[in-house]
Amino acid sequence: MTTVLPGPDTLLRRTLGDRRIALVAWRLLVLQNADPGVAAGLAEFSTYRAHPWRRVEHTMESGHRLFFSDREGLRREIARLERAHRRIKGTDDQGRSFTALDPAVRVWVLVTLYESMTAMGELSGAPLDHAQRDQLYAEFRSVCAEFALPAELFPATAADVPAYVERTIRERLEYTAAAHDLLFQMLRQAPAPRRLGRLRPAWPLMRPVIARMLTALTLADLPPSFRERFGLRRSRSAAGLSWVLHHGMRHLMAQLPERLRYGTPGVPRPADPRAAGAPQGHGDTTPAGRVPRPCRSGRRSPRRARVEAFFRQVLDQTGDGYLTAPDLQAMAHNVCWHLELDERREAEVYAGFDTWWQHIRESMDTDGDGRVSRGEFTTAMLAGIDRDPEYLHKGLHAALRALFRAADTDGSGSLGADEYRVLFGGSRIHPAELNHGFRQLDADGDGQITEEEFLDAFTEYFTAHADTAAGAQLLGRP
């Protein structure tokens, strides 16, 4: 029997679209990441430490696609998530195996979203009544049914959800490093969100204040059993802050017109990139974050500075100071997310980046510890380029060819300006700089970048001794 998905004006979509949902978002993340399976995958594969805002943005976009799409869009997003999660598996620091496809873990992640929607009402002093909870849960479960997870793992009714949450907290959850980071560390170290615009210079002053407030709010809003089990204290000031924010926002939102009270989430980009029209950047702009601008130094050569910057800003996706297989997988994931590739083309991208990682590991891991430090990478890259003209061809070029072919959405064998902007564009890069970079790479001036011009530009980025070389200007003037 086919379930009926929630329509545009249903309780589920109105609740998720309510801007007050942001007040319980951090609480939701803490509950989800206290699951040891989620935390293990996050520790091994996630880029949330180095790129927290990109991670948040991807999570929000995925949620919009799941709960605000038609059935085709919903199924497409579920398939994309399953392909990505299939690669997230291993053994945690206690020797326990984990996989992101564990049905119990996936059910917990989903149910905590429903629980957070109900918590939003309770914390604001306007809880949903029994009939509303039943309606909300039925609409929520109609979406969850598309995941084809065992029905017995879900609470049978809305009335069963509180007991399920309490049982999971007491029997399964742990005070993981990821939960601790979210509560006490992540925001205190996070880079400035790109949406701050002209306020970015003030971020170092704003960050500690925002971090303290968010920690206090989250501690106040977490279920009492969670705080009790892990010895987390809710102060009187935190409880007061929570009351003021939740009740105040409820009364404020009630006075606003619906266009301001509710977001208008939807699938941010069409499924087929060819239908996208003028590209709009988002997230961390490129498959690897962004290609860094050349770094000048009076003592170091521009080439060494570029290679070091490339490691720090692009390759080290997990932010731990080392390059490992998950870093390259994260880069491939961002390519696939950004371009919304189908399964075949997605596999080609992952294969290209895997080839690059194997070459990095074999040629740069001098101490054999399975990871590559910045020093190892820089020294080996420069020595390899100088020693072997085919050095980049053996690793980097495999990933670049996969990247180029993924971005070539019309199959023409070249990248036009629009395709180039989709690949490299973003709000942090002025369109004029992108246009300049495109012209620099377009060696013959025909308005198209061929695959060889693309490879030559990246090769020059690593090999050129002067910052004025075209390849050093991939994203604009140095």
Side-chain angles (χ1 to χ4, degrees), residues 183-195:
L183 280 170
F184 298 108
Q185 293 183 354
M186 184 175 139
L187 275 181
R188 288 170 172 80
Q189 304 166 354
R194 66 182 178 85
R195 296 180 184 274

Side-chain angles (χ1 to χ4, degrees), residues 60-79:
M60 291 176 63
E61 286 188 10
S62 183
H64 293 164
R65 293 172 179 175
L66 291 173
F67 291 96
F68 292 85
S69 294
D70 58 17
R71 193 178 303 277
E72 180 183 354
L74 169 60
R75 288 177 175 173
R76 188 167 53 244
E77 178 63 11
I78 291 173

Side-chain angles (χ1 to χ4, degrees), residues 93-290:
D93 56 6
Q94 297 185 40
R96 299 173 297 189
S97 61
F98 69 88
T99 171
L101 293 180
D102 183 339
V105 173
R106 299 176 77 190
V107 168
W108 170 248
V109 170
L110 288 168
V111 173
T112 51
L113 178 59
Y114 165 81
E115 189 272 346
S116 293
M117 287 188 280
T118 61
M120 179 177 72
E122 293 170 356
L123 291 165
S124 69
L128 299 176
D129 60 32
H130 293 300
Q132 289 172 321
R133 285 175 182 255
D134 288 341
Q135 179 185 345
L136 182 65
Y137 192 62
E139 293 172 358
F140 171 78
R141 287 285 284 116
S142 70
V143 176
C144 295
E146 295 295 327
F147 282 84
L149 294 166
E152 62 271 18
L153 294 179
F154 286 90
T157 68
D160 296 317
V161 171
Y164 164 83
V165 171
E166 290 292 305
R167 184 171 64 254
T168 305
I169 288 173
R170 299 189 182 281
E171 297 178 2
R172 180 179 175 88
L173 299 192
E174 299 174 0
Y175 188 58
T176 63
H180 178 80
D181 281 353
L182 285 164
L183 280 170
F184 298 108
Q185 293 183 354
M186 184 175 139
L187 275 181
R188 288 170 172 80
Q189 304 166 354
R194 66 182 178 85
R195 296 180 184 274
L196 277 182
R198 294 181 179 179
L199 292 177
R200 288 173 66 89
W203 177 246
L205 298 176
M206 298 164 57
R207 178 168 55 189
V209 176
I210 294 172
R212 284 196 297 271
M213 289 184 62
L214 189 55
T215 294
L217 176 67
T218 306
L219 286 173
D221 292 350
L222 282 166
S225 57
F226 187 95
R227 295 197 303 269
E228 177 186 342
R229 182 174 179 201
F230 301 117
L232 299 171
R233 189 176 68 87
R234 180 181 70 167
S235 66
R236 285 188 176 182
S237 60
L241 175 68
S242 172
W243 192 94
V244 169
L245 285 177
H246 285 288
H247 285 71
M249 285 297 291
R250 175 169 66 87
H251 290 294
L252 173 63
M253 288 297 179
Q255 305 304 314
L256 296 178
E258 289 204 355
R259 64 183 177 82
L260 297 178
R261 178 177 178 180
Y262 297 99
T264 55
V267 181
R269 298 182 304 277
D272 184 354
R274 282 171 286 189
Q280 299 293 326
H282 72 284
D284 278 339
T285 72
T286 73
R290 63 169 291 179

